[in-house]
Amino acid sequence: MNAVAKIDENATKLEMEAPAQPAAAPVAIAPPVQPASVPVKNKRRLGRSLLMIALPAALVVGGGYVWVTGGRYQETENANLQQAKVSIASDTAGRIVQVDIADNQLVKQGDVLFAIDPEPYRIALAQADAAVAVARVGIEQLRAAYSQATAQEKSATSEVDYAQSQYDRAADLAQKGINTKSALDQAKNDLDKAKQQLAVAQQGIISAKAALAGNPDIETDRHPTVMAALAARDKAAYDLAQTTVKAPADGVISQASSFKVGQYVGSGTPLFSLVETGDTWIEANFKETQLTHMKPGQKAEIVVDTYPGRTFEATVKAIGAGTGAEFSLLPAQNATGNWVKVTQRIPVRLELTDADAKMALRTGMSTAVTVDTGVSRGFPAIFGHATAGEAK
């Protein structure tokens, strides 16, 4: 017997000698407990139903409240900042000899911008002064002529009186037969000549008086000839003063990069622009449906795109006379009958009341405007008419 068979035989004996183990008792399995699922499901369904009802109701109530109490503030982003732009030109023609400005330079009212060669205008002023002096001398000569005409009229009057006396004496002698008829005719002829000379002297007085504007005692500088010379002199002085061009207001120089010394300019020719910083306003284009309760004097807030975190105060100054389409170069026409209603926009001018804003803002900037009309939409009435409530 080999070793493997011996091991198997020993193992078989051990299994036979081992005590028998009792059979395990069967384990009792409890029946499954049914959870109380029906009440929980009902509660969940009820919560979901309430949520589905409450959420739309809250949205409706909230939206209705916002709509009813809204409409007080009218907003638009179709707005731009505007500043007055003045075209600078010279009232006199000439060559530029001095330039004291540069492009985008800030100037004050009265600052010298540029100067034109003043020498031709100084010469013209000297000529005008000489013309005034000549006119005054002429008036003195007219006074002398009037005095001479008056003296001649007195002399002619004396000659008439003498000739009249000689004629009367000759006529008396001729009547008595002492004097001849020829002597009487000679006396009559002398009387006629004296009367004619008197008439000429009187016409000379009238002419001399007319030359003195009908008033022999007129002041020299009140005579029309002298006044015309003085006016020409003032014009020459004005032209000389206009050779120095000054800023008409506070502002910023624009479009002056090509303006140089030596350039010849004509009278009235625009040279560059001055943007006035002291005259700033907002032009906001509101829809026509936003103007129901808008009127001048209402407060507004301005937000400039350049300064997004800053708000400027403003006031409604005026509402435009018509829509932008009415003042366009080619107004819209409805000749074909194909008409579609489009909400129009009307420009509203707002005046900035913030003193610091005028220096920080530049013309053409985009802005957002909010106007406080002080009037909300209100609750709808029974018959469908909306009532507007004024905010206190």
Side-chain angles (χ1 to χ4, degrees):
M1 182 178 298
N2 56 16
V4 177
K6 188 179 288 186
I7 291 172
D8 292 339
E9 183 178 354
N10 293 335
T12 303
K13 289 181 178 181
L14 290 174
E15 289 177 358
M16 293 179 61
E17 293 177 355
Q21 296 292 336
V27 178
I29 298 174
V33 178
Q34 296 293 333
S37 60
V38 175
V40 172
K41 288 183 179 179
N42 291 338
K43 289 181 180 180
R44 289 180 179 175
R45 290 176 182 176
L46 180 60
R48 291 176 182 175
S49 300
L50 291 177
L51 183 60
M52 293 175 63
I53 296 174
L55 183 59
L59 293 175
V60 170
V61 172
Y65 176 79
V66 171
W67 188 90
V68 169
T69 58
R72 173 178 175 178
Y73 299 95
Q74 299 296 336
E75 301 178 358
T76 182
E77 292 186 351
N78 189 353
N80 295 95
L81 186 138
Q82 301 290 331
Q83 290 177 327
K85 293 176 282 293
V86 180
S87 294
I88 303 299
S90 174
D91 290 339
T92 56
R95 194 166 301 280
I96 303 298
V97 296
Q98 177 185 348
V99 175
D100 295 333
I101 51 92
D103 209 12
N104 299 322
Q105 178 181 339
L106 185 65
V107 296
K108 297 292 184 180
Q109 183 178 7
D111 290 350
V112 176
L113 303 180
F114 63 92
I116 295 175
D117 186 8
E119 197 59 31
Y121 297 96
R122 286 199 185 99
I123 296 173
L125 179 59
Q127 292 175 342
D129 287 333
V132 170
V134 171
R136 286 171 176 167
V137 171
I139 300 306
E140 296 302 325
Q141 291 176 343
L142 291 177
R143 274 203 188 90
Y146 177 78
S147 298
Q148 183 179 1
T150 303
Q152 289 177 352
E153 191 265 343
K154 289 181 181 180
S155 177
T157 302
S158 298
E159 289 292 331
V160 169
D161 293 340
Y162 175 75
Q164 184 68 46
S165 65
Q166 291 295 323
Y167 174 77
D168 293 341
R169 185 180 297 111
D172 185 55
L173 294 174
Q175 186 177 4
K176 294 178 180 180
I178 300 175
N179 199 2
T180 60
K181 187 176 184 301
S182 60
L184 179 62
D185 292 340
Q186 183 64 39
K188 187 176 184 307
N189 185 44
D190 293 341
L191 177 60
D192 291 340
K193 285 183 179 180
K195 289 182 178 179
Q196 289 176 2
Q197 290 177 356
L198 177 60
V200 171
Q202 289 174 345
Q203 288 297 324
I205 290 177
I206 294 174
S207 178
K209 188 175 181 179
L212 291 170
N215 181 13
D217 299 327
I218 189 172
E219 296 180 10
T220 301
D221 289 349
R222 299 298 300 174
H223 191 275
T225 303
V226 179
M227 292 176 66
L230 289 172
R233 192 262 178 200
D234 293 341
K235 177 63 168 58
Y238 174 80
D239 291 341
L240 178 60
Q242 293 305 306
T243 57
T244 300
V245 180
K246 299 181 179 180
D250 298 347
V252 179
I253 300 298
S254 177
Q255 300 175 341
S257 57
S258 60
F259 187 69
K260 303 296 181 182
V261 174
Q263 180 179 349
Y264 187 89
V265 298
S267 176
T269 303
L271 303 175
F272 50 88
S273 298
L274 173 68
V275 181
E276 295 187 16
T277 55
D279 187 10
T280 305
W281 71 92
I282 304 296
E283 185 171 321
N285 297 303
F286 283 93
K287 296 180 181 179
E288 54 186 327
T289 54
Q290 295 178 286
L291 302 180
T292 305
H293 302 291
M294 193 176 298
K295 57 185 178 181
Q298 293 175 342
K299 302 296 183 182
E301 290 184 352
I302 309 297
V303 177
V304 184
D305 291 357
T306 308
Y307 310 105
R310 184 174 179 182
T311 301
F312 301 101
E313 296 181 357
T315 304
V316 177
K317 189 69 175 179
I319 299 176
T323 64
E326 289 295 316
F327 295 98
S328 62
L329 184 61
L330 297 174
Q333 298 293 331
N334 186 30
T336 61
N338 298 325
W339 179 74
V340 177
K341 183 177 180 180
V342 178
T343 301
Q344 301 295 319
R345 290 184 179 269
I346 297 177
V348 176
R349 178 165 178 160
L350 298 99
E351 183 180 16
L352 286 169
T353 57
D354 219 330
D356 298 335
K358 297 181 180 180
M359 297 302 297
L361 303 179
R362 293 293 181 267
T363 182
M365 286 183 173
S366 299
T367 62
V369 178
T370 302
V371 177
D372 183 5
T373 63
V375 179
S376 58
R377 293 189 183 95
F379 292 94
I382 298 176
F383 299 100
H385 299 287
T387 58
E390 184 176 356
K392 297 181 179 180

